[in-house]
Amino acid sequence: MTDRLGDRLVTAREEGFVGRRRETAAFRALLAAGRGAVVYVHGPGGIGKTTLLYHFAQLARRAGRPAVRLEAAEVRSYEEELARRIPDRPDLVLLIDGLDDPRAARDTVHRELLPRLPADALVALACRTAPPLSWRLDPAWQGLLRLLPLGPLDEADSRELLTRRGVPPAVQDQGLAFTRGHPLALALVADVAAHGGEAAGADPSPQIVRALLASLLEAVPTPLHRTALEASSQVLSTTEPLLAALLQVADARPYFDWLCGLSAVESGLRGVHPHDLVRDALDAELRWRDPERRAALHRRASAYYQRLFTQEDDRARQRAVLADFAYLHRDSPVVGPLLEPVARGAAGAARLDRLTVSPGPVTGGELVEACTIAAIHEGIEAARLVHDWSRRPEAQTYTVRGPDGVAAGFYTLIELGGTAPADAPDVPDPPDDPAVRAARGWLAEHGELRGGETALLVRFWMSRDEYQAVSPVQTLITLRLTHHYLTDHKPAVTLLPFADPRFWEPGCAYVDFARLPAADFTAAGRRFGMFVHDWRRVPALAWLAMLTERERAEDPFAVTPPAASDPLRVLDREEFAAAVRDALRGLVRADGLRDSPLLRTRLVAGRCAAGGAGPKERAAALREAVRAAAAALEASPQDRRAFRALHHTYLRPAGTQARAAELLRLPMTTYRRHLAAGIGRLTELLWQEELEGGGPEGGERAGDGPAGGGPEAGGSDGPGGPPEVSRPG
């Protein structure tokens, strides 16, 4: 029989297992008894809960019982797991690791999974904290629940673990005194010894991991290996391409494989990450030892994440990486507390991964769920508005669903301005909505919307359980709305209301959403505060670059948005078309674009990520935009003749129009007709990119979906700079 890698890993894991005799005996007895029971293993991080569950699985298989092991962080729906992976057998042994979220994981198991298992099933759960008091006091659990708290290994077992991991006897005494039986610390001692390092003398217990890591860092093979380990502590999760960007190397596989082999590094759905204790120690070490390298790693990570939105079209990956981008801001005193679901590292990311967003605007039962949530928090009138807006073409409602498949929150987006939708006979009139009235009033006076431009109003956004408080649902809505803006049909401005604007105002200012009292409104007796961001003045890439600068600034508000010193020009359609014609005439001259009005438009700013590009960089970006639009014409069979006229007149000019017509073998009248068509089509493509925020992706994604900022998004002066727009002090 062929030996599989998975079998070898199982064997190696079992051979490395030591101690836990009491826990093993208790589990063997339950296996032999054949009666249903729930074993609850709990203890601090790194104490060996996961290793013990692997051991339980092997014991079950040796007893001839089917063992199914699940990672709670990876389970989206226990109903799906019951149908797909959990057999309906009385001798079932089910092991669930990582029940560290009391709302999304532990209570769901207690309430929905365990009652549906066979009566004689044996279940083992692992969590850092003890079970809730309600479990222990519930009469239904008497006789079923067995608690197995885990503590450090004794000296004999600790010595055996070090021996099995190849630590020489001469080094063991020092390691035993130093680690005091903590399994993760013992594993780190083995890592240090394997790389030729030595553990320091006995220190107080809280310093164990930090001191061991200091020894490991001194003993790593090369400086790049050290940087790889440090880099993994700065990002939410590490993949091989990300590691290559952080190390600035073409091939990061040797370093990534080395990370995967460390006892202190764990793997998950998103990539690899250090154990939480190890991450904290690595970060603390790097923070005081080399703050400049720490800042450089953050810059490289941010640049890598931004590239995913300009060079790739993997939407699922883009959505996931927004959590990684937000994680870089976890230390900010302004937004760090608002990012708590992400700042918790791998555990926080797992909570987000258990939530899903409906793939499109909801109807039917999903819409009823959204209306119910609205009624709970904002009253019956809000529920009626959610329902009525769902029947309008300019509005979309999306639900956020928990691992149980039930709606855990929702958000509603409404497009305002632009061309009014052509209503079908059966489409009702727009509802009388105070938020929309206030938004339209401000847009009419200050919004400066041009023909074809739209504003996006995030009309409703809320969690079922936490409303608009910080929560995993609120964070996911924030990230999803941000993805809408960065990749989909882009609005000119985003308008975002809050039930508690005072609480959210500092966070909004951090992400450049300005307080907008002129658009406040009252609904259900509550005053909602409005915030606004103008994407024409601070486009997507410039916005991300600004956030990167603010993340590492001592005073984030000292980093002003690009619009503060470099305002964009907002041209109407006719002015824009005239500027395109002038740009074509100066395209091939060295300084032919120097005075072009287009240099200060959204079209060019969207191609200059830093927002502070000089005249030469802006001129180069404008040439790139024109040539990219011309290439699109060349690729279109319907536009190819028009492209040829443009090509010989402006892109590679023949000298005179007469000469161009001669090269094309066309009569002058036909040539001029093709040229006019080419200028018109080129202008249309550039205008579309101008409306959508610039950048090479703009025109390709027109109409793909709604756009958004996000419930955490927020603060600089809004469009038009009305006097009432203020910045928090």
Side-chain angles (χ1 to χ4, degrees):
M1 181 177 179
T2 303
D3 185 24
R4 297 183 181 275
L5 179 59
D7 298 329
R8 292 168 58 191
L9 291 174
V10 169
T11 301
R13 188 178 289 120
E14 273 298 284
E15 290 177 349
F17 182 82
V18 299
R20 307 305 186 195
R21 295 174 184 82
R22 180 182 67 85
E23 294 82 3
T24 297
F27 195 77
R28 287 185 190 275
L30 292 172
L31 284 171
R35 295 190 300 271
V38 176
V39 178
Y40 194 103
V41 181
H42 63 95
I47 205 66
K49 300 182 295 297
T50 297
T51 301
L52 184 60
L53 254 60
Y54 275 117
H55 183 58
F56 284 171
Q58 285 299 101
L59 293 177
R61 295 187 182 103
R62 290 172 188 167
R65 298 182 63 168
V68 177
R69 186 181 178 280
L70 302 177
E71 288 283 350
E74 299 175 5
V75 174
R76 291 190 179 275
S77 166
Y78 284 106
E79 185 172 349
E80 292 179 8
E81 298 294 344
L82 283 165
R84 186 169 60 92
R85 294 180 58 188
I86 303 176
D88 186 14
R89 293 178 48 170
D91 58 349
L92 170 70
V93 176
L94 177 63
L95 309 107
I96 305 178
D97 195 9
L99 289 177
D100 295 312
D101 184 341
R103 292 169 298 186
R106 190 165 58 185
D107 286 351
T108 302
V109 169
H110 177 212
R111 185 177 59 252
E112 301 178 12
L113 174 63
L114 296 181
R116 300 173 64 178
L117 295 177
D120 293 332
L122 177 57
V123 181
L125 309 175
C127 187
R128 291 189 179 185
T129 57
L133 187 62
S134 59
W135 287 31
R136 287 173 278 172
L137 297 182
D138 188 343
W141 284 88
Q142 299 302 312
L144 285 177
L145 185 63
R146 311 294 175 89
L147 302 185
L148 289 184
L150 290 190
L153 299 173
D154 61 26
E155 182 177 347
D157 290 336
S158 298
R159 189 177 296 278
E160 183 180 356
L161 186 152
L162 292 177
T163 299
R164 293 191 183 187
R165 297 204 178 200
V167 179
V171 180
Q172 290 183 9
D173 289 340
Q174 184 183 25
L176 291 174
F178 186 65
T179 59
R180 302 184 182 183
H182 192 286
L184 176 62
L186 288 164
L188 280 167
V189 166
D191 278 343
V192 171
H195 290 89
E198 294 184 2
D203 274 355
S205 181
Q207 303 301 320
I208 288 176
V209 174
R210 180 177 297 179
L212 279 169
L213 282 172
S215 297
L216 178 59
L217 288 172
E218 293 300 325
V220 294
T222 70
L224 268 182
H225 285 82
R226 176 184 180 124
T227 302
L229 185 56
E230 292 171 337
S232 70
S233 72
Q234 299 305 307
V235 294
L236 186 58
S237 58
T238 304
T239 62
E240 192 173 316
L242 172 58
L243 187 61
L246 295 176
L247 299 181
Q248 296 184 311
V249 298
D251 181 11
R253 172 162 292 189
Y255 310 102
F256 187 77
D257 290 345
W258 177 78
L259 280 179
C260 293
L262 293 177
S263 304
V265 174
E266 303 174 336
S267 61
L269 289 174
R270 294 169 173 263
V272 299
H273 57 271
H275 187 283
D276 289 346
L277 298 176
V278 175
R279 183 197 293 275
D280 291 344
L282 282 168
D283 187 34
E285 168 79 7
L286 185 61
R287 189 190 300 268
W288 74 263
R289 182 183 292 275
D290 197 343
E292 292 184 3
R293 178 157 56 176
R294 185 176 187 270
L297 290 170
H298 280 227
R299 284 196 300 272
R300 294 170 193 171
S302 179
Y304 173 81
Y305 301 144
Q306 291 181 54
R307 283 198 297 273
L308 292 181
F309 291 94
T310 59
Q311 298 178 0
E312 297 193 18
D313 199 20
D314 186 339
R315 300 169 72 80
R317 189 179 181 201
Q318 289 170 344
R319 288 168 179 163
V321 87
L322 280 171
D324 296 73
F325 186 84
Y327 183 73
L328 296 177
H329 298 258
R330 63 193 179 277
D331 294 332
S332 167
V334 180
V335 297
L338 308 180
L339 296 173
E340 185 272 337
V342 172
R344 287 182 55 190
R351 292 169 70 186
L352 292 182
D353 289 341
R354 288 196 292 267
L355 301 172
T356 58
V357 177
S358 58
V362 299
T363 57
E366 290 182 309
L367 179 62
V368 171
E369 290 178 303
C371 291
T372 301
I373 296 172
I376 291 172
H377 294 291
E378 295 187 10
I380 296 300
E381 179 61 19
R384 183 188 67 78
L385 286 172
V386 173
H387 174 269
D388 290 351
W389 278 118
S390 72
R391 303 168 67 188
R392 295 287 305 173
E394 68 269 35
Q396 303 90 21
T397 293
Y398 299 83
T399 55
V400 177
R401 316 194 78 74
D404 55 3
V406 177
F410 80 97
Y411 58 96
T412 297
L413 309 176
I414 302 175
E415 277 196 351
L416 305 175
T419 304
D423 292 345
D426 58 342
V427 174
D429 293 334
D432 183 18
D433 187 332
V436 173
R437 285 201 311 270
R440 288 191 187 280
W442 181 81
L443 287 168
E445 186 172 352
H446 299 291
E448 301 178 355
L449 292 184
R450 300 170 291 184
E453 286 186 334
T454 60
L456 185 89
L457 171 65
V458 184
R459 175 59 183 95
F460 296 101
W461 64 272
M462 63 188 73
S463 161
R464 178 192 63 205
D465 299 328
E466 294 91 358
Y467 186 39
Q468 291 186 356
V470 175
S471 70
V473 171
Q474 166 268 328
T475 300
L476 182 61
I477 291 175
T478 295
L479 300 178
R480 185 54 62 93
L481 291 175
T482 303
H483 182 264
H484 280 329
Y485 170 69
L486 293 174
T487 61
D488 292 327
H489 184 67
K490 304 177 179 73
V493 297
T494 294
L495 296 160
L496 185 61
F498 291 84
D500 186 0
R502 180 172 297 179
F503 173 80
W504 289 101
E505 189 164 1
C508 284
Y510 184 93
V511 291
D512 200 39
F513 270 58
R515 183 72 176 89
L516 193 63
D520 289 356
F521 63 93
T522 300
R526 175 185 288 156
R527 186 73 174 174
F528 288 80
M530 191 73 78
F531 293 78
V532 65
H533 180 81
D534 189 331
W535 299 105
R536 299 166 299 186
R537 288 172 166 78
V538 184
L541 296 182
W543 180 70
L544 289 174
M546 178 201 69
L547 293 182
T548 298
E549 292 297 320
R550 286 186 168 181
E551 180 266 322
R552 61 177 183 267
E554 184 175 346
D555 177 8
F557 296 112
V559 179
T560 58
S565 59
D566 196 15
L568 300 184
R569 293 193 61 172
V570 180
L571 305 176
D572 63 28
R573 182 66 171 79
E574 292 183 2
E575 292 172 331
F576 188 89
V580 170
R581 290 193 294 271
D582 287 341
L584 286 171
R585 287 191 284 270
L587 192 66
V588 298
R589 297 202 310 270
D591 61 348
L593 300 179
R594 181 183 57 191
D595 299 322
S596 173
L598 298 175
L599 295 178
R600 297 294 180 185
T601 61
R602 199 180 183 200
L603 167 73
V604 171
R607 291 174 173 267
C608 300
K616 289 184 178 180
E617 290 80 8
R618 288 180 173 274
L622 178 54
R623 284 192 176 88
E624 177 190 348
V626 171
R627 294 188 183 280
L633 296 183
E634 183 182 18
S636 170
Q638 297 92 333
D639 295 320
R640 203 158 290 158
R641 290 184 298 180
F643 164 77
R644 292 192 185 108
L646 274 175
H647 178 79
H648 288 294
T649 308
Y650 297 119
L651 303 179
R652 187 168 291 178
T656 65
Q657 290 193 358
R659 177 59 179 155
E662 181 181 341
L663 287 173
L664 293 169
R665 299 179 182 178
L666 294 175
M668 183 60 75
T669 54
T670 305
Y671 156 76
R672 286 175 175 165
R673 186 171 70 250
H674 289 181
L675 180 61
I679 295 173
R681 286 289 292 124
L682 184 84
T683 302
E684 287 177 16
L685 293 177
L686 294 174
W687 177 247
Q688 186 69 19
E689 189 172 333
E690 164 75 4
L691 295 181
E692 293 177 353
E697 302 295 327
E700 296 173 9
R701 293 202 170 111
D704 277 2
E712 283 175 17
S716 99
D717 289 350
E724 64 272 25
V725 174
S726 60
R727 184 185 300 279

